[in-house]
Amino acid sequence: SSGINAEWPLRPGNIGGTNTLACISRIDPDTSKTIKIYPLPHMYVVKDLVPDMTHFFEQYASVQPWLQRDTEIDYGKEQLHQTVKEREKLDGLYECILCACCSTSCPSYWWNSDKYLGPAVLLQSYRWLADSRDHKTKERLEKLADPFSVYRCHTIMNCTKTCPKGLNPGKAIAEIKKLMAKTL
């Protein structure tokens, strides 16, 4: 087929020097100006603008992004209630669409993506650590307790500046570090 390949529906990329989503990126109506569009930086490229997200999603799976309980529950028959305050703790976390714009804007992730989980995955990790319905906080934190998984974050905050959803992965990472200091 002809044209540029950007197969993922979210179409994340580096547009005009910023990691963002093509679907929300403003294009200057002045067609005499050049717009530079690149695939997400520091990722292998499958074709044209399509990054290989395999490693990113493997890292995401490594934090076990699902509810974990000590007791069995009959899903669909029982509800796991939260107070309004407990539910509010998830605001700014569950909205992440895993586009990897934040992770690919992070110098620590560029240099250590084999070991450092990166802002997007750590934001998702904190989403489950902050969930009052989850019972595996200590186990989740223990899996992150090495020199690289969390502690390669140097609070440069490129992740927060570039997030197309306006989320704050840097804050989530800081909250994980506080939990680790308190719990482990």
Side-chain angles (χ1 to χ4, degrees):
S1 77
S2 63
I4 294 177
N5 197 343
E7 293 176 353
W8 196 21
L10 294 174
R11 289 174 181 76
N14 186 285
I15 302 170
T18 301
N19 290 356
T20 189
L21 301 176
C23 61
I24 62 169
S25 189
R26 291 223 180 272
I27 304 296
D28 193 325
D30 181 356
T31 57
S32 68
K33 293 181 181 175
T34 302
I35 299 169
K36 294 185 179 183
I37 302 173
Y38 298 99
L40 285 174
H42 304 280
M43 294 186 109
Y44 293 105
V45 175
V46 175
K47 181 180 178 187
D48 297 332
L49 299 176
V50 181
D52 183 352
M53 301 289 283
T54 305
H55 180 66
F56 176 79
F57 284 117
E58 286 170 351
Q59 288 180 312
Y60 173 61
S62 78
V63 299
Q64 300 179 338
W66 55 82
L67 192 63
Q68 297 179 30
R69 312 237 335 138
D70 289 331
T71 56
E72 284 295 316
I73 142 164
D74 192 2
Y75 290 102
K77 300 208 188 237
E78 291 180 60
Q79 291 185 22
L80 299 174
H81 296 283
Q82 288 183 297
T83 67
V84 171
K85 283 196 181 286
E86 288 170 336
R87 171 56 191 77
E88 285 174 354
K89 289 180 182 176
L90 304 180
D91 289 344
L93 303 172
Y94 74 88
E95 299 93 340
C96 176
I97 57 174
L98 297 169
C99 65
C101 286
C102 63
S103 292
T104 57
S105 71
C106 173
S108 293
Y109 192 73
W110 303 340
W111 302 320
N112 301 289
S113 65
D114 57 329
K115 298 179 219 161
Y116 174 52
L117 293 177
V121 171
L122 291 171
L123 177 88
Q124 288 299 307
S125 178
Y126 185 64
R127 179 259 176 268
W128 294 102
L129 289 164
D131 195 320
S132 62
R133 301 166 297 175
D134 192 271
H135 294 162
K136 300 294 182 181
T137 300
K138 186 169 190 266
E139 293 86 343
R140 289 180 185 278
L141 291 172
E142 286 171 348
K143 287 181 182 175
L144 299 174
D146 64 63
F148 281 90
S149 293
V150 177
Y151 290 102
R152 286 300 137 211
C153 174
H154 298 294
T155 57
I156 296 166
M157 303 302 283
N158 285 357
C159 56
T160 300
K161 290 177 195 153
T162 197
C163 177
K165 299 283 285 180
L167 305 179
N168 190 344
K171 180 180 178 192
I173 295 167
E175 292 299 326
I176 291 172
K177 289 176 179 178
K178 286 196 301 192
L179 272 174
M180 291 176 89
K182 186 172 90 174
T183 308
L184 301 179

